[in-house]
């Protein structure tokens, strides 16, 4: 397994995901999504698996401040990549598989 956790230090679910993998002694790479963001290729890979709506945190302050509900879908994706605080966390990747949020029932099926 090649696990990557894109999380936020403020996200309770990100810490729970890290703990879940630590308890099972599964190696993972942690990336602070707020400071590092996702590369365009990583973003496309995750979006293909979970969809755009699952990736966006509509409850964060930046969502309204950046007028996300009022701009075109293409502009929304560009703003999402420019402002990684808009990502819902944790984003957990295993190769081409991905989840958004805390989903241990799915992680258990990964090999």
């Amino acid at each position: 397994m090649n696990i990557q956790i894109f999380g936020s230090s403020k996200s309770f679910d990100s810490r729970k995901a890290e703990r879940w993998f630590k308890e099972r002694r599964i190696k993972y790479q942690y990336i602070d999504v707020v400071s590092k963001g996702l590369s365009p290729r990583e973003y496309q890979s995750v979006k293909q698996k979970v969809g755009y709506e699952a990736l966006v945190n509509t409850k964060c302050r930046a969502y309204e401040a950046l007028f996300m509900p009022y701009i075109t879908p293409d502009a929304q994706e560009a703003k999402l990549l420019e402002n990684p605080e808009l990502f819902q966390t944790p984003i957990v990747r295993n190769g081409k598989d991905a989840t958004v949020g805390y989903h241990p029932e799915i992680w258990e099926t990964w090999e």
Side-chain angles (χ1 to χ4, degrees):
M1 278 199 280
N2 188 18
I3 304 293
Q4 290 181 310
I5 301 174
F6 294 89
S8 167
S9 59
K10 294 180 180 179
S11 166
F12 182 69
D13 282 345
S14 294
R15 290 192 296 259
K16 279 180 22 182
E18 271 193 280
R19 188 176 328 118
W20 191 89
F21 285 103
K22 273 183 190 169
E23 287 172 353
R24 285 149 187 80
R25 292 186 174 88
I26 298 171
K27 291 184 180 179
Y28 63 89
Q29 177 187 15
Y30 180 82
I31 297 110
D32 183 22
V33 76
V34 176
S35 63
K36 303 283 188 210
L38 260 72
S39 74
R41 290 185 73 192
E42 288 170 330
Y43 168 72
Q44 289 300 329
S45 170
V46 173
K47 184 179 111 177
Q48 192 173 23
K49 280 291 178 189
V50 299
Y52 171 79
E53 289 78 26
L55 285 169
V56 181
N57 183 358
T58 58
K59 294 177 179 82
C60 74
R61 291 180 184 161
Y63 186 77
E64 285 294 328
L66 294 168
F67 305 106
M68 291 292 283
Y70 312 108
I71 57 178
T72 65
D74 289 339
Q76 284 179 343
E77 286 195 34
K79 280 221 191 272
L80 183 61
L81 288 172
E82 291 168 12
N83 302 281
E85 65 271 12
L86 290 168
F87 281 110
Q88 187 76 271
T89 55
I91 299 168
V92 182
R93 290 181 62 205
N94 178 24
K96 294 197 183 282
D97 292 325
T99 62
V100 177
Y102 183 73
H103 295 288
E105 68 281 356
I106 296 172
W107 304 333
E108 285 177 349
T109 65
W110 289 352
E111 292 180 358

